[in-house]
Amino acid sequence: MITGIKGTRRIRRATAVAVTAGAMLATGALTAAPAQAVTAPSIVAKGGYVMNNSSGSDLYTKAADYKRSTGSTTKIMTAKVVLAQSNLNLDSKVTIAKEYSDYVVRNNASQAHLIVGDKVTVRQLLYGLMLPSGCDAAYALADKYGTGSTRAQRVANFIGKMNTAAKNLDLKNTHFDSFDGIGNGSNYSTPRDLTKIASSAMKNSTFRTIVKTKSYSAKTITKTGSTRTMAPWTNTNGLLSSYSGTIGVKTGSGPEAKYCLVFAATRNGKTVIGTVLASTSIAQRESDAKKLLNYGFARLG
């Protein structure tokens, strides 16, 4: 009998809880979990950072301020410095020097396969820089927009401009010693700093147009004055084809850098931008980036 009374009490208590919960649901007192309660993802990359592009507020951090080799994500700053030149003429032509070609062969570097002697516009060089990650295009741009009487002086001056631009963005953990990411022991940044560089670069409409382009065919002028149609340059950023809303920005890789990706996407009028450094493969850096984008958008609601 005593057991029966306890059982009855349990039933009454359960009924009361159910009625209360029902009333709360009916009145809207029980609401969905707030956006910030979304569980942060686990990524393979050693460093990661995501921010709300409009406000600059943090959405995700993992070793966000730890300095690492950045590979070709360095080229975001290369493009930013070029596009910041006063009186920039994107149709200005650059004659491709043998040294640009020798450089990529010497370093077994990614290239746009520019032809020695061809005249290539600055706009085309920027596509060659950002889509196939051409270190030959990076060299050509550094040579053109650096100041000095020798190529070495011009390149050193251009790299100086990259470091000045980093200082102007108040980046404390970034330093460049190369125009393309093939560093000499002192080319580094962080997920947070790289994201801020990319966010700044994305304010330029030419940059935005280039980094969201999947494929581009350049028509260059040969030594004899004829037109050469280059083989199409394909964007190395696989997110452009596999993640809805992707608008950029740049891949990077290297023996020290491993696999890096600076990424940005816009959905429902909101833009999430971020970086993963030192992931383990092309597929993994894209998987890491997608997780962080999904998380960023979930945080923004």
Side-chain angles (χ1 to χ4, degrees):
M1 195 65 188
I2 294 172
T3 306
I5 292 169
K6 281 186 177 177
T8 304
R9 282 175 182 162
R10 281 199 197 101
I11 291 166
R12 283 175 183 158
R13 199 177 297 124
T15 304
V17 169
V19 170
T20 305
M24 289 174 78
L25 281 169
T27 59
L30 282 182
T31 57
Q36 61 267 28
V38 179
T39 304
S42 172
I43 60 170
V44 172
K46 290 183 179 176
Y49 177 75
V50 177
M51 76 178 191
N52 176 349
N53 193 53
S54 63
S55 68
S57 62
D58 297 358
L59 295 173
Y60 174 93
T61 63
K62 176 183 177 179
D65 301 306
Y66 188 87
K67 299 172 188 174
R68 296 185 188 279
S69 175
T70 57
S72 287
T73 60
T74 297
K75 291 172 178 139
I76 298 169
M77 183 59 96
T78 309
K80 177 177 160 58
V81 168
V82 170
L83 290 166
Q85 297 300 303
S86 57
N87 304 312
L88 177 68
N89 179 5
L90 290 169
D91 297 317
S92 175
K93 290 182 175 63
V94 175
T95 301
I96 302 306
K98 185 173 184 294
E99 172 54 23
Y100 310 158
S101 179
D102 290 347
Y103 171 81
V104 291
V105 172
R106 195 163 61 240
N107 289 283
N108 192 28
S110 54
Q111 58 176 305
H113 297 281
L114 300 170
I115 309 296
V116 175
D118 276 13
K119 290 183 173 61
V120 185
T121 68
V122 171
R123 187 192 310 275
Q124 290 167 339
L125 286 172
L126 286 166
Y127 276 96
L129 174 79
M130 299 304 286
L131 271 63
S133 200
C135 295
D136 45 357
Y139 199 160
L141 289 165
D143 193 6
K144 178 170 177 62
Y145 290 106
T147 303
S149 57
T150 67
R151 184 169 289 137
Q153 287 173 346
R154 290 190 292 274
V155 166
N157 176 264
F158 184 86
I159 294 167
K161 290 180 180 181
M162 294 169 69
N163 285 312
T164 297
K167 284 192 184 105
N168 290 343
L169 289 173
D170 199 29
L171 306 181
K172 310 292 188 192
N173 299 307
T174 295
H175 184 266
F176 300 106
D177 69 3
S178 78
F179 49 74
D180 58 1
I182 301 176
N184 299 295
S186 189
N187 198 91
Y188 56 81
S189 189
T190 68
R192 188 192 305 272
D193 281 9
L194 269 174
T195 302
K196 289 182 177 180
I197 293 168
S199 180
S200 175
M202 290 289 274
K203 292 175 182 174
N204 182 284
S205 61
T206 300
F207 184 89
R208 287 198 306 274
T209 297
I210 291 170
V211 297
K212 73 178 180 183
T213 301
K214 292 180 185 177
S215 180
Y216 180 88
S217 295
K219 293 188 189 313
T220 63
I221 307 301
T222 68
K223 288 177 186 176
T224 59
S226 62
T227 301
R228 183 197 310 279
T229 302
M230 299 286 290
W233 290 324
T234 302
N235 201 317
T236 55
N237 182 5
L239 294 186
L240 290 166
S241 301
S242 64
Y243 191 87
S244 174
T246 298
I247 56 173
V249 295
K250 185 72 185 74
T251 61
S253 61
E256 188 182 355
K258 305 305 179 190
Y259 293 88
C260 311
L261 181 57
V262 182
F263 51 87
T266 300
R267 289 183 176 179
N268 301 318
K270 295 171 182 176
T271 298
V272 170
I273 188 164
T275 299
V276 289
L277 294 182
S279 195
T280 53
S281 68
I282 290 173
Q284 190 59 59
R285 74 184 173 195
E286 290 181 7
S287 174
D288 287 343
K290 287 174 186 177
K291 283 182 182 179
L292 295 188
L293 283 165
N294 286 339
Y295 178 69
F297 285 120
R299 285 283 310 271
L300 292 179

